[in-house]
Amino acid sequence: MFFKKKRKIDYDLDMTNIPKHIAFIMDGNGRWAKKRKMPRTYGHHEGTKTIRTLALEANRLGVKAMTVYAFSTENFKRDASEVEYIFKLPKEFFNLYLKELMDNDVQIRYIGHLEMAPIETQKIIKDAIAQTAQNHGLILTFAFIYGGRDEIIEATKDICEQYKNGHITLEDITEDYFERHLMTKDLPPVDLMVRSSGECRLSNFLLWQLAYAEFVFDETLWPDFDEERLHHAIAIYQGRERRFGGVLK
Ligand code: IPE
Ligand code: IPE
Ligand code: MG
């Protein structure tokens, strides 16, 4: 029997400075598959295993929230067959891992336009959210059919409605108030954003929320991203000096 050898994780993490919220742009599934002369969908299939691995490890480290970018509003530009395949992945993911995530007290949440997904996909995701709603461990949020610009426009529309109906005045529209209209309103601020596959851009992810996050861009393709890479990203985060516009004394 062949067992994959686990790499040693030797980053000396400061357990008092673990990021509360880590957001991942899960990129490189297609290239990972292409390197193996396999269809892009195989990369997406393998990429779901990484979500499970990282969620369990993040939970173990005491990370409060982990948000994963699974499908952008722009990803509809892809071939219909690839989009259809991606929409089937939540079922595969939760069938395989929901019980284990439940056992580890992980709470599932969602941001994006769920109503645009096939009914079956909607149901699977809603069931996972309902089943895990009382859990108190890691909050694992799927950004699925999500776009940062769209989120800001949706929030703006909500706020305009409130103003039009006379519920608020212009002075009520503060940064805090605006934030409370974003899809992430119940999540802690994002401390660390990690993008795999070497691309250095946001691709419309959490545009408002990433204003003061630390960014780590890792060359690893998403299906190969593992606990060791997570520790590496956290170690880089811990080496950074966060200033939030001020001056460190
Ligand atoms: C990320 O991998 C997954 C999604 C965007 C759904 P990609 O599919 O973008 O993989 P590459 O970037 O083509 O390698
Ligand atoms: C960003 O990756 C979207 C997700 C990871 C879901 P893309 O692969 O779609 O981004 P671009 O097109 O390279 O910017
Ligand atoms: Mg990509």
Side-chain angles (χ1 to χ4, degrees):
M1 188 91 169
F2 176 75
F3 291 99
K4 193 175 160 195
K5 196 166 167 266
K6 269 213 158 161
R7 269 193 287 171
K8 187 177 171 298
I9 300 173
D10 52 9
Y11 302 102
D12 202 6
L13 294 183
D14 172 359
M15 296 309 286
T16 65
N17 185 24
I18 294 293
K20 279 198 178 61
H21 186 173
I22 309 180
F24 289 96
I25 301 181
M26 311 190 284
D27 200 13
N29 291 347
R31 278 163 283 167
W32 185 91
K34 195 170 173 212
K35 267 172 57 183
R36 286 159 181 79
K37 303 198 170 19
M38 295 293 279
R40 295 177 55 81
T41 48
Y42 181 58
H44 296 316
H45 167 80
E46 288 296 302
T48 59
K49 298 180 185 170
T50 304
I51 304 175
R52 172 219 170 234
T53 306
L54 297 188
L56 293 177
E57 183 62 7
N59 191 37
R60 197 185 67 80
L61 290 172
V63 174
K64 295 279 169 265
M66 167 173 155
T67 300
V68 291
Y69 202 10
F71 191 89
S72 74
T73 45
E74 288 72 29
N75 288 148
F76 280 113
K77 291 177 190 162
R78 297 184 180 200
D79 282 354
S81 59
E82 183 175 344
V83 173
E84 249 171 59
Y85 184 86
I86 293 172
F87 283 172
K88 287 188 186 136
L89 287 174
K91 183 173 181 187
E92 184 182 309
F93 180 83
F94 290 123
N95 278 346
L96 283 172
Y97 307 127
L98 186 59
K99 184 175 178 310
E100 188 184 29
L101 293 169
M102 253 327 259
D103 291 346
N104 283 276
D105 213 17
V106 172
Q107 201 187 119
I108 304 297
R109 293 200 201 163
Y110 176 89
I111 54 172
H113 285 283
L114 191 53
E115 77 283 359
M116 287 169 78
I119 295 289
E120 208 198 353
T121 310
Q122 292 187 30
K123 189 179 169 322
I124 292 285
I125 294 175
K126 283 180 187 162
D127 282 355
I129 293 171
Q131 273 192 57
T132 59
Q134 307 305 321
N135 291 352
H136 291 97
L138 178 83
I139 299 169
L140 173 59
T141 302
F142 287 84
F144 194 70
I145 320 184
Y146 170 87
R149 288 178 177 172
D150 166 79
E151 182 189 29
I152 290 171
I153 288 183
E154 291 291 322
T156 307
K157 284 184 187 166
D158 275 0
I159 294 169
C160 287
E161 242 350 274
Q162 298 295 320
Y163 180 72
K164 197 174 82 185
N165 296 334
H167 297 318
I168 56 166
T169 65
L170 281 184
E171 285 63 42
D172 290 323
I173 307 173
T174 60
E175 290 189 9
D176 278 350
Y177 185 82
F178 197 90
E179 241 163 35
R180 277 186 264 126
H181 288 78
L182 293 172
M183 296 167 180
T184 49
K185 60 180 182 294
D186 298 320
L187 296 173
V190 181
D191 298 308
L192 171 62
M193 190 289 299
V194 182
R195 182 170 187 151
S196 59
S197 89
E199 307 294 350
C200 300
R201 54 178 172 270
L202 290 182
S203 305
N204 203 12
F205 189 42
L206 298 177
L207 297 180
W208 171 289
Q209 296 86 342
L210 295 179
Y212 268 104
E214 294 296 329
F215 290 3
V216 171
F217 296 99
D218 190 301
E219 294 287 326
T220 313
L221 301 175
W222 183 253
D224 289 332
F225 206 97
D226 59 7
E227 295 99 327
E228 188 268 344
R229 287 288 93 192
L230 171 65
H231 283 236
H232 181 253
I234 295 175
I236 294 175
Y237 168 85
Q238 294 185 340
R240 300 252 177 96
E241 213 173 62
R242 300 187 80 188
R243 304 201 187 107
F244 300 98
V247 178
L248 283 192
K249 301 251 159 46

